[in-house]
Amino acid sequence: MTAPKLVILKRMLLIQGKVRPCCHVQIVLDPAIKSIVEEHFLSEALFKRSAYSQNWPQGAISVPAALAPAMSAFLKNDACPEITVKTMLLGQMHQASNIWEMMCFELAAKLSFDNFLALATTVAELNSNVIYAGRGHSANAEALAFDADMSAELRAMRSDIAA
């Protein structure tokens, strides 16, 4: 099974007589997982501005300092797009009004992809038994080792995608 990838294309495009910064994002996914996702999870939201307009979650991809003012404005703007599984699989393009807005959309797409990875991990676990004995339970060394191994694999998957 191949690891999911987020493909990001940034271009300056002539749209309605004006050159605009545009960002197109699309997830490339293993066909086995893709068929399940397409059948059952297309409408799942990966990014909603209302969920992030008040605060950016800890543990999420960080907002660079230079982008913070633009990100705040982007999240408060009604034109901020919602990103779903369907739009990421089909490909979603955002026509920005300026370069900062394009960079904000790219960051939102990266966060959406991280959210998608969590969803895809759960999809991969469908039709299998998952045993949870509690976080940090010392008597459950096997579960802790599995948790550490899974975390390492997810970090490696994210770093492979970032490269």
Side-chain angles (χ1 to χ4, degrees):
M1 178 162 62
T2 60
K5 294 176 180 65
L6 178 63
V7 178
I8 302 170
L9 303 171
K10 296 182 268 188
R11 305 283 189 269
M12 295 298 291
L13 299 175
L14 181 64
I15 298 171
Q16 296 178 344
K18 189 172 182 180
V19 177
R20 296 184 184 271
C22 297
C23 185
H24 181 270
V25 293
Q26 188 170 11
I27 290 177
V28 177
L29 188 58
D30 186 86
I33 297 284
K34 186 176 181 180
S35 65
I36 297 169
V37 169
E38 286 179 335
E39 185 176 349
H40 300 289
F41 304 104
L42 278 182
S43 62
E44 294 296 324
L46 297 173
F47 180 84
K48 283 183 158 186
R49 80 177 173 93
S50 60
Y52 299 103
S53 61
Q54 297 301 319
N55 58 14
W56 198 255
Q58 275 189 316
I61 186 170
S62 63
V63 178
L67 195 56
M71 194 66 179
S72 178
F74 180 72
L75 292 172
K76 291 176 183 166
N77 188 341
D78 287 338
C80 177
E82 183 173 289
I83 300 173
T84 65
V85 171
K86 181 179 182 178
T87 59
M88 289 290 270
L89 287 177
L90 295 176
Q92 183 168 351
M93 185 172 84
H94 179 71
Q95 300 171 26
S97 58
N98 58 50
I99 193 78
W100 296 103
E101 187 180 315
M102 181 185 75
M103 293 164 59
C104 290
F105 175 74
E106 178 184 2
L107 190 69
K110 288 177 181 177
L111 176 65
S112 298
F113 181 69
D114 288 343
N115 294 342
F116 179 81
L117 289 177
L119 184 140
T121 300
T122 300
V123 168
E125 293 172 346
L126 290 174
N127 298 323
S128 65
N129 294 330
V130 177
I131 298 169
Y132 181 74
R135 191 142 193 61
H137 192 269
S138 61
N140 195 354
E142 184 177 311
L144 291 174
F146 176 78
D147 185 42
D149 186 48
M150 181 63 88
S151 296
E153 285 181 28
L154 287 173
R155 281 193 302 276
M157 189 183 314
R158 287 184 183 131
S159 65
D160 286 347
I161 292 164

